[in-house]
Amino acid sequence: MNLRELVDSQRFCQGLTPGQCTGLAACAGERSFAPGDYLLRQHAVADTFYLVLSGEVQIRLAVPGQGVVTLETIGPDEAVGWSWFVPPHRCQFDAHAVLPTRTLAFAAAPLRALMEQDPTVGYAVLKTLVGTLTQRVQSCRLQVLDVYAPPGA
Amino acid sequence: MGMDATLPAPWRIAWRRPESAAGDVFTWAVEPVDGTGSSFLPGQFNMLYAYGIGEVPVSISSDPAGTPWLHTIRAVGSVTRPMAALKVGEVIGLRGPYGSAWPLVAAEGGDLLIVAGGLGLAPLRSAIYQALRRRSHYRGVYVLYGTRSAADVLFADELAAWRDGGQIEVAVTVDRATPDWSGEVGVVTRLIHRAGFDPATTTALLCGPEIMMRFAVLALQQRGVPDKAIHLSLERNMKCAVGYCGHCQLGPHFVCRDGPVLAWPRLSNLLGVMEL
Ligand SMILES: Cc1cc2nc3c(=O)[nH]c(=O)nc-3n(C[C@H](O)[C@H](O)[C@H](O)COP(=O)(O)OP(=O)(O)OC[C@H]3O[C@@H](n4cnc5c(N)ncnc54)[C@H](O)[C@@H]3O)c2cc1C
Ligand code: FES
């Protein structure tokens, strides 16, 4: 699949016109990471929106006193990072490839500009992002509930 | 069963194995003292009686094709804690097997998806053994397992062997990662979104804490698995285990007799309702 076909095959392109997909493809590139490589670094400028095509990525946070804690793992068809969308556009976590990982990487500034200019594109991308966020929030709530704890623990 | 269904028969603890680093989970292999065994279906449970202490329902976690029968128990309270202290060779009372089974035969021809949380892997292990023996009758077999942390992964060696064996796809995730864990982190519902099963032909078997199962059902529905293909194993306090006393009632169902395995359409209005 070439880059354009990859972009077209993403969920958010379904329902968009070829012209709108061209706009999205213009912000995108394919980027691969070897195990141990970082997609995002905590505190760095969040300038990229990644969609994982294959591989596995860990979201990690350095916690004083606990070292680096892995909060979740991200797999194929899932988005990595939303700080690129929300000012001040700084990464809150590390994202680190565990397996050889292929991604579709969108440059944040032109993507935001495109979403601003064409609300239909903006809405399509946001739907993907909100879907991801919903899953993550639900996961976090269940993790906080500690559902597997022994009764009375 | 060939015996009074409410009268425990003497069974001996043939061997015992700790299953958790904390020591609170253990497996018992039990054999009938008089030598006459019977058979069970994956998903069924027995009432185990610690003489003079009390009786609790526990699923059978072994291969239905083999003996001795295994029960994997977590010591949580007034009966299971004293059980944890019993020694190999001691005799307990056992009656059963009781209850409904996983629909493994009906699932043949399609994908089989097993979603287990925490100790919920125990009642599903017998289903996995059966599915492995009849592997060619299924398209794909997927085991998705979530638990609290690396130290809580139940049957870790077997999970690894199943994964390495290549006959079934196994994914394990933990809610809390410790430095010794390099696998997936996040709740088990996330694995449902990623697994490669075909929703239209899938039969899903779920066992774990009820909240986990509710969200797993939601994830399955989002993937397009039909409600009638989703089966859950439920736990309710039990006394008679044979449909007399009403202790295990959940809406119109007696979990001991109609369950513990029930299809989602029979449960959708009942789970999550307070006080049921
Ligand atoms: C069909 C069926 C199959 C089961 N299979 C297994 C199994 O394979 N392995 C296993 O370890 N357990 C299993 N259970 C659960 C087991 O029966 C209970 O853990 C046991 O009855 C607790 O008895 P107890 O007297 O030791 O604890 P209690 O003194 O009754 O309870 C101690 C504490 O645990 C809580 N509690 C009791 N039962 C449960 C429960 N089921 N879930 C959450 N909290 C509970 C109580 O509210 C209390 O806080 C099964 C239950 C059913 C109905
Ligand atoms: S335990 Fe008595 S009716 Fe179910």
Side-chain angles (χ1 to χ4, degrees), chain B:
Chain B
M1 258 169 272
M3 54 179 167
D4 181 335
T6 57
L7 204 64
W11 285 56
R12 183 171 287 111
I13 304 170
W15 51 259
R16 180 193 190 283
R17 182 171 57 212
E19 299 283 7
S20 65
D24 59 334
V25 183
F26 57 96
T27 293
W28 270 354
V30 293
E31 287 167 342
V33 168
D34 70 3
T36 52
S38 81
S39 60
F40 74 94
L41 295 168
Q44 289 192 299
F45 67 95
N46 286 316
M47 293 298 283
L48 303 184
Y49 179 41
Y51 286 113
I53 298 170
E55 207 183 24
V56 287
V58 180
S59 305
I60 311 169
S61 64
S62 47
D63 187 339
T67 53
W69 284 358
L70 306 186
H71 299 82
T72 302
I73 304 168
R74 175 149 72 183
V76 292
S78 53
V79 177
T80 47
R81 283 216 182 98
M83 278 181 166
L86 294 181
K87 304 237 166 357
V88 170
E90 289 196 80
V91 173
I92 56 151
L94 183 151
R95 57 191 179 95
Y98 296 125
S100 56
W102 298 112
L104 286 164
V105 177
E108 290 184 0
D111 282 344
L112 181 68
L113 175 67
I114 287 173
V115 184
L119 212 62
L121 186 57
L124 280 163
R125 187 169 66 168
S126 48
I128 297 171
Y129 287 135
Q130 177 157 324
L132 273 169
R133 254 182 306 95
R134 294 184 60 80
R135 179 63 190 86
S136 60
H137 294 76
Y138 300 96
R139 287 162 45 121
V141 178
Y142 302 83
V143 175
L144 312 181
Y145 177 54
T147 192
R148 197 183 195 198
S149 71
D152 298 296
V153 175
L154 191 65
F155 311 139
D157 294 346
E158 271 180 305
L159 284 165
W162 291 329
R163 188 178 44 216
D164 296 345
Q167 286 199 295
I168 57 181
E169 285 197 27
V170 178
V172 180
T173 186
V174 300
D175 276 3
R176 285 148 201 240
T178 39
D180 57 333
W181 179 254
S182 58
E184 302 221 29
V185 184
V187 293
V188 70
T189 48
R190 300 281 301 280
L191 300 181
I192 294 174
H193 292 287
R194 290 180 206 161
F197 59 87
D198 167 25
T201 72
T202 290
T203 302
L205 315 182
L206 275 55
C207 188
E210 254 172 50
I211 300 180
M212 168 237 136
M213 289 200 284
R214 266 170 49 203
F215 283 95
V217 169
L218 189 65
L220 290 167
Q221 289 169 330
Q222 285 168 347
R223 284 284 312 262
V225 177
D227 283 4
K228 63 178 187 343
I230 303 174
H231 302 263
L232 282 66
S233 180
L234 292 188
E235 290 190 3
R236 283 292 178 276
N237 283 340
M238 288 186 184
K239 205 159 189 167
C240 72
V242 288
Y244 294 153
C245 73
H247 251 75
C248 64
Q249 192 162 1
L250 172 69
H253 314 301
F254 282 177
V255 172
C256 68
R257 186 193 56 200
D258 307 322
V261 177
L262 288 159
W264 179 246
R266 300 176 73 181
L267 294 169
S268 54
N269 298 324
L270 300 173
L271 283 201
V273 181
M274 294 280 284
E275 312 299 344
L276 271 181

Side-chain angles (χ1 to χ4, degrees), chain A residues 5 22 29 43 50 58-59 73 80 116-117 125 129 131 135 148:
Chain A
E5 286 165 345
T22 305
H43 307 307
Y50 294 101
Q58 283 181 342
I59 303 297
T73 40
V80 177
E116 207 62 60
Q117 255 168 39
V125 176
L129 211 56
Q135 274 186 28
Y148 305 119

